């Protein structure tokens, strides 16, 4: 019980040593933000009370570890929007309280993959706009699964119009042509982390959804993107409770979504993605492409998926980008050490000239080589390390590029 304690944050790792905890009350504090790390390792949690805080946004992977959660109370916060994927993996959730927020709308499919849900409380969201998703979902689960889903709350039929009315959510009736499942749905279909533009298929099945599966075969992460049906996906999602939390060989985890090409997005909640850079300070004995493929081969013995690409030069050194996708149980520090050790001990890479004395591995980010074209000339920017500036001659002036996080700023210094 941590309610009414003037807490403004829950630091990462604070709750990590409580895997047997079943109830967590954080009501009446001043918590602004929560993330997946907040609730990591709370595998037994069945009730989470975050009522009366000042949370404004729920990120899609926030509740990814709470596969046993049955009651979630987010009432009395500042939430304005509920996005698809917000409640992903909560297959046992029964009661969802969202009353007294600032919710205006929620995306189609937000509540579609919650097979145990029986109550959604949306009362006192005064700016909520009426929509068809919840009325259609209630009718569908009642007719198909004989589940009585109770949705509470009111909505505005036509905000900003003189004809606007406030009615119960379930009484909105302008949904004659609405369907929970998109007709002629298109999904990506491939067995790679990133599909090509041609790997798209129209799904002919009834109740079509797009499917993503992540599995671990030995130490290799495998990706499968395909068409499926809603009922098949529900069955797969229920099995996630037993397969998504412990990543060992043979483990698989499934997520489903609605909307054209929705499975194009990264697999939320079951993996971590990191980017490292390797700087090589000597003459390469093979082409950049051959070096990149050799690195990928050596890294294939680690748990995860690795893509290596040559990305340019910096101060007479060659720079390679290493994109890592690993199970969510592996941290950035852990995989960085494993990658570093692989490069130090690989005889194959030493034979190509990548010696420990002439290579450096960074977990910092770089801004790749780029060009800026003006009416008078084309200017080539060198690689720029995060948090640093680089200048190049620009006619009679100097152009400066400063890069931080993922934003590149250009300005002309006179």
């Amino acid at each position: 019980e941590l309610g009414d304690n003037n807490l403004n944050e829950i630091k990462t790792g604070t709750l990590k040593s409580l895997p047997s905890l079943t109830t967590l009350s954080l009501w009446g504090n001043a918590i602004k933000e929560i993330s997946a790390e907040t609730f990591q390792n709370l595998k037994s949690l069945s009730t989470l009370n975050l009522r009366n805080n000042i949370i404004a946004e729920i990120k899609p992977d926030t509740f990814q570890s709470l596969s046993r959660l049955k009651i979630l109370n987010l009432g009395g916060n500042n939430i304005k929007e509920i996005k698809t994927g917000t409640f992903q993996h909560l297959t046992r959730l029964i009661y969802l309280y969202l009353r007294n927020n600032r919710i205006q709308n929620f995306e189609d499919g937000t509540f579609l993959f919650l097979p145990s849900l029986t109550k959604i409380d949306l009362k006192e969201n005064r700016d909520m706009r009426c929509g068809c998703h919840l009325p259609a979902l209630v009718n569908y689960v009642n007719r198909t699964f004989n589940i009585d889903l109770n949705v509470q709350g009111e909505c505005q039929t036509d905000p900003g119009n003189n004809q606007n009315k406030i009615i119960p959510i379930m009484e909105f009736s302008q949904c004659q042509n609405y369907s929970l499942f998109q007709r002629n749905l298109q999904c990506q279909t491939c067995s790679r982390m990133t599909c090509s533009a041609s790997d798209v298929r129209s799904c002919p099945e009834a109740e079509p959804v797009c499917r993503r599966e992540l599995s671990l075969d030995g130490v290799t992460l495998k990706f499968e993107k395909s068409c499926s049906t809603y009922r098949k996906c529900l069955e797969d999602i229920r099995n996630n409770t037993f397969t998504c939390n412990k990543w060992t060989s043979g483990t698989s985890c499934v997520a489903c979504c609605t909307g054209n090409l929705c499975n194009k997005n990264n697999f939320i909640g079951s993996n971590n993605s990191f980017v490292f850079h390797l700087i090589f300070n000597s003459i390469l004995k093979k082409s950049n492409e051959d070096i990149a493929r050799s690195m990928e081969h050596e890294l294939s013995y680690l748990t995860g998926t690795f893509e290596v690409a040559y990305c340019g030069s910096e101060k007479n050194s060659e720079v390679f980008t290493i994109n890592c996708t690993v199970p969510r149980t592996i941290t950035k520090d852990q995989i960085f050490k494993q990658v570093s050790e692989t490069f130090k001990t690989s005889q194959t890479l030493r034979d190509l000239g990548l010696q420990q004395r002439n290579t450096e591995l960074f977990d910092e980010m770089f801004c790749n080589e780029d060009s800026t074209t003006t009416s008078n000339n084309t200017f080539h920017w060198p690689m720029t390390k995060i948090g640093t500036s680089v200048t190049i001659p620009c006619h009679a002036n100097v152009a400066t590029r400063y890069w931080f996080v993922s934003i590149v700023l250009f300005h002309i210094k006179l």
Side-chain angles (χ1 to χ4, degrees), residues 315-341:
K315 297 179 180 178
N316 300 319
S317 298
E318 308 299 326
V319 182
F320 292 85
T321 298
I322 304 166
N323 292 287
C324 314
T325 301
V326 296
R328 70 184 184 206
T329 54
I330 299 178
T331 67
K332 184 176 182 179
D333 287 343
Q334 289 172 332
I335 197 61
F336 181 83
K337 290 178 182 177
Q338 292 175 25
V339 171
S340 179
E341 187 64 24

Side-chain angles (χ1 to χ4, degrees), residues 123-166:
K123 293 179 180 178
E124 301 176 47
N125 284 284
R126 295 178 177 82
D127 296 324
M128 181 173 290
R129 300 165 185 167
C130 294
C132 297
H133 176 63
L134 278 175
L137 178 63
V138 169
N139 291 332
Y140 174 82
V141 298
N142 182 262
R143 183 179 68 252
T144 307
F145 304 113
N146 197 30
I147 294 175
D148 184 15
L149 175 56
N150 179 18
V151 175
Q152 300 176 346
E154 296 180 327
C155 59
Q156 300 183 47
T157 59
D158 195 2
N161 191 297
N162 292 333
Q163 303 299 318
N164 183 43
K165 295 181 180 178
I166 297 177

Side-chain angles (χ1 to χ4, degrees), residues 145-356:
F145 304 113
N146 197 30
I147 294 175
D148 184 15
L149 175 56
N150 179 18
V151 175
Q152 300 176 346
E154 296 180 327
C155 59
Q156 300 183 47
T157 59
D158 195 2
N161 191 297
N162 292 333
Q163 303 299 318
N164 183 43
K165 295 181 180 178
I166 297 177
I167 62 172
I169 292 172
M170 290 303 299
E171 291 185 10
F172 188 62
S173 58
Q174 300 175 27
C175 302
Q176 289 81 359
N177 297 319
Y178 179 84
S179 175
L180 284 173
F181 308 102
Q182 184 172 323
R183 301 174 183 88
N184 302 314
L185 178 69
Q186 291 189 322
C187 300
Q188 286 201 331
T189 54
C190 73
S191 299
R192 302 183 301 279
M193 182 168 56
T194 304
C195 298
S196 66
S198 61
D199 294 324
V200 176
R201 177 187 169 214
S202 293
C203 306
E205 299 91 345
E207 302 178 356
V209 297
C210 296
R211 184 179 186 272
R212 295 168 291 185
E213 181 177 4
L214 184 67
S215 59
L216 187 62
D217 182 6
V219 297
T220 303
L221 275 180
K222 292 189 173 182
F223 298 82
E224 188 72 35
K225 299 182 180 182
S226 62
C227 292
S228 188
T229 67
Y230 177 64
R231 300 186 203 196
K232 287 180 182 177
C233 264
L234 280 187
E235 183 177 346
D236 290 337
I237 289 171
R238 286 190 178 98
N239 290 332
N240 282 347
T241 302
F242 309 103
T243 60
C244 283
N245 289 324
K246 294 183 178 180
W247 281 97
T248 57
S249 183
T251 295
S252 65
C253 195
V254 172
C256 298
C257 56
T258 58
N260 279 336
L261 304 181
C262 62
N263 63 342
K264 177 181 180 180
N265 301 325
N266 291 332
F267 199 107
I268 299 171
S270 294
N271 59 274
N272 292 323
S273 294
F274 307 115
V275 179
F276 305 132
H277 286 86
L278 182 76
I279 297 182
F280 180 66
N281 303 306
S282 185
I283 298 174
L284 296 173
K285 294 184 179 181
K286 285 194 175 183
S287 69
N288 297 326
E289 181 67 22
D290 288 340
I291 296 291
R293 298 293 76 77
S294 296
M295 289 185 195
E296 285 182 354
H297 180 267
E298 295 303 293
L299 293 173
S300 68
Y301 297 101
L302 303 180
T303 299
T305 298
F306 302 85
E307 294 181 353
V308 181
Y310 175 73
C311 61
S313 301
E314 192 213 18
K315 297 179 180 178
N316 300 319
S317 298
E318 308 299 326
V319 182
F320 292 85
T321 298
I322 304 166
N323 292 287
C324 314
T325 301
V326 296
R328 70 184 184 206
T329 54
I330 299 178
T331 67
K332 184 176 182 179
D333 287 343
Q334 289 172 332
I335 197 61
F336 181 83
K337 290 178 182 177
Q338 292 175 25
V339 171
S340 179
E341 187 64 24
T342 297
F343 288 155
K344 288 179 182 178
T345 59
S346 169
Q347 184 62 48
T348 298
L349 297 181
R350 283 202 293 269
D351 292 342
L352 293 174
L354 275 76
Q355 306 286 343
Q356 185 174 350

